[in-house]
Amino acid sequence: GESVGLHLPTLSVQEGDNSIINCAYSNSASDYFIWYKQESGKGPQFIIDIRSNMDKRQGQRVTVLLNKTVKHLSLQIAATQPGDSAVYFCAENPSYNQGGKLIFGQGTELSVKP
Amino acid sequence: DGGITQSPKYLFRKEGQNVTLSCEQNLNHDAMYWYRQDPGQGLRLIYYSQIVNDFQKGDIAEGYSVSREKKESFPLTVTSAQKNPTAFYLCASSIAYWDHEQFFGPGTRLTVL
């Protein structure tokens, strides 16, 4: 399954399938991009980040891809599990001088069907 | 256990009253942040503090106030001047302001009656 964060805020996938969550960012000078997972009624949890000088970074069952040409970021989750159901936010760090000031996207809700 | 805590989890307030939301961290982080989250939306920055005794306005500071008298504490006051205060409030911290990795608390849901 595939989703564009701002235009399709919900994504429903079958357990075991791969999920792709997309995000468009605004600032070509952003230095870091971060993905957060937020379960219902809880605070966001850091998943993975990628620096602007990288195209791809892998974590445990997750991969983040960065396409600076079109200012696009994606989060791929392999073998999606029911525990992956949550809202996923991308965030960008505008520049080094902005420090911790992050700009968050709208979020995409991932629903995993057993 | 190291972490960031917020209290209370749910808060109800009558219109016209000020209310203070608590945020405490024992991570020894210098920087702390307050965000507001409305249904179906991303997080918006209210205030942030780079270091103790310092704080700066974020993107939506009107109707809010903060203090940072201790490194581990960053309380947020929602004043009666905030026109639409019902929201989910999230506190976060990072090692230093230059560090983009922020750790979030569990949030406080404020409802104005």
Side-chain angles (χ1 to χ4, degrees):
Chain A
E2 184 170 330
S3 164
V4 176
L6 291 177
H7 302 290
L8 296 172
T10 60
L11 173 64
S12 183
V13 300
Q14 209 59 43
E15 182 178 357
D17 287 351
N18 295 335
S19 301
I20 301 174
I21 301 170
N22 295 303
C23 179
Y25 64 90
S26 56
N27 192 328
S28 57
S30 289
D31 191 38
Y32 276 96
F33 302 89
I34 308 106
W35 281 100
Y36 282 92
K37 172 186 179 182
Q38 185 178 26
E39 296 175 355
S40 182
K42 297 183 179 180
Q45 294 174 281
F46 175 92
I47 302 173
I48 191 168
D49 63 358
I50 186 167
R51 195 164 184 181
S52 59
N53 61 355
M54 301 171 67
D55 298 321
K56 179 179 179 179
R57 189 168 186 213
Q58 287 184 293
Q60 188 177 12
R61 277 201 310 119
V62 295
T63 300
V64 57
L65 299 177
L66 177 63
N67 185 332
K68 294 182 285 294
T69 302
V70 294
K71 292 193 283 188
H72 184 268
L73 187 70
S74 69
L75 177 71
Q76 299 178 4
I77 304 173
T80 313
Q81 302 168 2
D84 294 326
S85 293
V87 176
Y88 290 81
F89 292 96
C90 64
E92 57 181 304
N93 185 207
S95 71
Y96 180 80
N97 289 333
Q98 293 272 3
K101 199 170 180 181
L102 300 177
I103 299 173
F104 285 82
Q106 180 187 11
T108 296
E109 182 172 8
L110 175 65
S111 175
V112 181
K113 294 181 282 188
Chain B
D1 280 342
I4 182 164
T5 58
Q6 292 184 244
S7 61
K9 189 171 177 64
Y10 298 97
L11 190 56
F12 297 89
R13 176 197 113 174
K14 290 183 180 178
E15 209 169 318
Q17 289 181 336
N18 292 354
V19 63
T20 298
L21 282 60
S22 168
C23 177
E24 303 278 329
Q25 53 97 2
N26 60 3
L27 300 167
N28 201 32
H29 286 176
D30 278 330
M32 296 187 76
Y33 314 82
W34 273 106
Y35 292 92
R36 172 187 171 128
Q37 186 176 31
D38 292 287
Q41 296 189 32
L43 282 63
R44 292 184 290 168
L45 183 65
I46 304 172
Y47 266 97
Y48 63 97
S49 169
Q50 297 185 46
I51 201 163
V52 67
N53 292 322
D54 166 82
F55 51 83
Q56 320 272 330
K57 290 183 180 180
D59 300 320
I60 55 165
E62 186 175 348
Y64 300 98
S65 65
V66 293
S67 62
R68 187 88 188 277
E69 296 174 2
K70 297 187 293 182
K71 186 176 186 178
E72 57 271 19
S73 179
F74 190 41
L76 172 75
T77 297
V78 184
T79 75
S80 56
Q82 169 48 236
K83 293 177 183 173
N84 187 19
T86 295
F88 190 47
Y89 290 88
L90 288 158
C91 180
S93 68
S94 61
I95 293 172
Y97 187 59
W98 48 257
D99 188 355
H100 63 277
E101 184 175 351
Q102 295 181 14
F103 295 81
F104 284 84
T108 292
R109 187 165 300 279
L110 173 66
T111 303
V112 174
L113 303 173

